[in-house]
Amino acid sequence: MKAIIYSVGTEILLGSILDTNSKFIASRLQDLGINLYKMVTVGDNPERLYKALKEANGEYDYVFVSGGLGPTEDDLTKETLVKVLGLEDEMVLDKESYEELKQYFSDEKKAMMVNEKQAIFPKSASILKNDQGTAPGCIMGDKTKYVLMPGPPNEMENMFDKEVVPRIHTDLLIKSVNCKIALLCEWRVAKTIDLSGSNPTISPYAKSTGVELRVTASAANKEDLEASLKRGLDQVRTAFGPLLLTTEDKAREEVLIDELRAKGEKISCAESITGGLVASSIVDIAGASDVLKESYITYANDIKHKLLNVSYETIEKYDVVSPEVAGEMLDGLHQATGSDLCLATTGYAHLGLAYAGVLYKGKKYIRKIKVKGDRNKVRRVVKNKLIDMSILIVREEYENYISI
């Protein structure tokens, strides 16, 4: 099967934003066994967009388009494709999409007048729900299937995985499993395992939440599919051992919550450099209240002293960003909360230097972390490393990986 990807938006051509959508779709198509021939960016120009979409008709099995589905005048992707396919007389209001818009905008009259166009489709279109935003997607066409998706990456990615993949038709059964790997960066993950296999394929992905390996198998029947997938997962387990945190579709924080809940244990956080990011990522998960006891943002030195009893002498002697201060933060946090698992962070975001600490069952683990990147990347990496450390420590598996 042949495919082409169009990303729509003048802001991409101007270099104002990076086209991550095409990269995401391309990676998924490889897993789906669809051959990608081109990736093309088209500005918000109806004539050029019409020409591009028209040229693809009959040349490809699938045309994936992201962008241009919003409520504004320059959001013309759907309307342009309707002209390409000659479906102008089929346009109707999709009641389900319209009701979802009404609920989103609290049925506010002016908002609905502007946004109603997002719920209008040809009768023959297959509607793709968007539970991350307001613009539904759709699939149109016969021989060539045009798959229209919104431009915001979080909306497009969610729609692709939940709505598009189940509607992709190939001659093979295909199944993927995401394996979350602890502590290691992308190149070390890639170096640790053989990525040359074709069925199953094993591909590393560096996400904002940490590194994952996607194992994808394909087969003509379910029995062969599961056997191929098992070979890939066994290969990952052999290569990474306890560093494989989970093969389930859950966040790392959820893995940690499940571990603590099973043991009936509580967690507390004291954060400086991460400024509440660790606790917030835990609170994002349903069930966090079962395990999260307290959290402090101790950004200033006097607050570290006041709330956690970090001594000014230690700060003066070793610097506030030091393993010694991280250790005293852990001691003070445990004394204040009595939690089974205590986490602490201190660092300089602008220097990419931090210390992440864990206190569990009377033992302290403090890790030095150095990161290149802007302050938000530094904070995010520190949070990810600390969550990974915590899971391994609670599982009593961290001792063999302290040097990583």
Side-chain angles (χ1 to χ4, degrees), residues 1-31:
M1 286 193 169
K2 298 164 57 178
I4 185 171
I5 297 172
Y6 288 117
S7 56
V8 179
T10 302
E11 66 273 20
I12 301 173
L13 292 176
L14 294 175
S16 300
I17 64 171
L18 185 65
D19 176 23
T20 59
N21 286 349
S22 293
K23 180 178 183 295
F24 176 89
I25 297 170
S27 68
R28 291 295 198 263
L29 296 185
Q30 181 182 14
D31 293 342

Side-chain angles (χ1 to χ4, degrees), residues 283-299:
V283 172
D284 283 342
I285 306 300
S289 58
D290 293 341
V291 301
L292 182 61
K293 192 172 184 181
E294 296 179 63
S295 176
Y296 302 94
I297 299 175
T298 55
Y299 219 66

Side-chain angles (χ1 to χ4, degrees), residues 241-262:
L243 293 180
L244 172 58
L245 298 180
T246 184
T247 60
E248 296 182 65
D249 184 19
K250 58 171 65 175
R252 293 161 195 260
E253 289 80 3
E254 186 175 357
V255 175
L256 178 58
I257 289 172
D258 289 346
E259 292 286 345
L260 293 172
R261 186 191 291 115

Side-chain angles (χ1 to χ4, degrees), residues 162-180:
K162 288 187 177 181
E163 295 286 315
V164 177
V165 171
R167 292 174 168 86
I168 297 292
H169 299 290
T170 67
D171 296 331
L172 295 175
L173 296 173
I174 299 170
K175 186 175 181 180
S176 295
V177 173
N178 288 334
C179 305
K180 293 178 173 63

